[in-house]
Amino acid sequence: MSLSNLCVLALALVACFFVVADAKLKEGDCEVCIKFTQKFYDTLSSDERSDSKVIETKFKDVCSKAKKRENRFCYYVGGTEDAATGILGEISKPLSFGKPVEKICENLKKKDAQICDLRYEKQIDLKTVDLKKLRVRDLKKILNDWDEECRGCAEKSDFIARIEQLKPKHTEL
């Protein structure tokens, strides 16, 4: 083997290492996948947990009642009627073998990364939260939830000032 072939092989191995390392879940990754699938798994009886077909059927039933982020997760894995994909077997079979939910979601991330991009909306308590510690995205969300705008806001401090200005109007009982 020539030196150039060895270099190419070494680079390929390094690239493979980074791809495999990136597939590991980080803190907060796959939040909806892990919580929803674990909650679903906890509702199954011991007999149901060992049958992948029963798991799929029950999963579709649960998905038919899911809302918001959980419904979107169901759509991505094929648990809803209008789903374009069908990777439900990637959940039901490993669950029937007793594979941990975190590992199942890690494998789903390899199939479709957007599954792990789903996050639950943070509930912000405006009475106790320090607005300066929130991200601009969260400040914009507060204003959006109130159906308010912040025209001319360019800096975080502008959003904070606008929220403080509107707070009495929107936090009254």
Side-chain angles (χ1 to χ4, degrees):
M1 250 186 165
S2 70
L3 184 59
S4 63
N5 286 345
L6 284 174
C7 287
V8 170
L9 181 63
L11 285 173
L13 288 173
V14 169
C16 288
F17 171 74
F18 283 114
V19 168
V20 171
D22 189 40
K24 295 271 186 206
L25 294 181
K26 298 175 192 85
E27 185 68 31
D29 267 1
C30 296
E31 177 185 13
V32 174
C33 177
I34 292 170
K35 287 184 181 176
F36 182 77
T37 307
Q38 187 63 55
K39 189 170 59 172
F40 164 73
Y41 186 70
D42 292 342
T43 65
L44 298 173
S45 69
S46 58
D47 291 337
E48 293 171 333
R49 288 180 179 183
S50 60
D51 187 346
S52 64
K53 293 294 180 197
V54 171
I55 291 173
E56 279 189 34
T57 304
K58 294 260 183 186
F59 194 85
K60 286 181 178 180
D61 289 344
V62 170
C63 282
S64 69
K65 299 173 188 104
K67 304 279 186 232
K68 296 186 180 185
R69 301 288 193 264
E70 293 175 347
N71 180 270
R72 182 65 21 196
F73 167 70
C74 288
Y75 175 79
Y76 288 155
V77 298
T80 60
E81 288 183 24
D82 62 340
T85 62
I87 56 173
L88 203 49
E90 301 290 329
I91 296 174
S92 63
K93 287 180 184 147
L95 275 179
S96 69
F97 302 144
K99 189 173 190 177
V101 170
E102 291 81 8
K103 293 291 183 186
I104 294 170
C105 291
E106 191 175 299
N107 291 340
L108 287 173
K109 181 180 182 180
K110 293 174 191 172
K111 299 262 183 206
D112 188 355
Q114 63 186 346
I115 290 171
C116 286
D117 290 340
L118 291 171
R119 305 224 186 293
Y120 288 110
E121 291 180 16
K122 283 195 270 181
Q123 297 301 320
I124 300 170
D125 183 11
L126 289 169
K127 294 177 183 127
T128 59
V129 73
D130 182 4
L131 294 174
K132 293 175 188 160
K133 292 184 179 179
L134 293 179
R135 294 177 178 217
V136 172
R137 173 184 59 191
D138 297 327
L139 298 172
K140 287 180 179 179
K141 184 185 176 314
I142 291 170
L143 289 170
N144 190 37
D145 289 347
W146 289 348
D147 291 325
E148 298 285 353
E149 292 181 9
C150 191
R151 291 197 178 113
C153 292
E155 308 246 344
K156 185 175 184 176
S157 58
D158 298 333
F159 288 100
I160 292 171
R162 180 71 172 147
I163 290 170
E164 291 294 348
Q165 176 188 15
L166 295 168
K167 201 185 233 183
K169 175 181 169 186
H170 292 282
T171 56
E172 294 175 356
L173 295 177

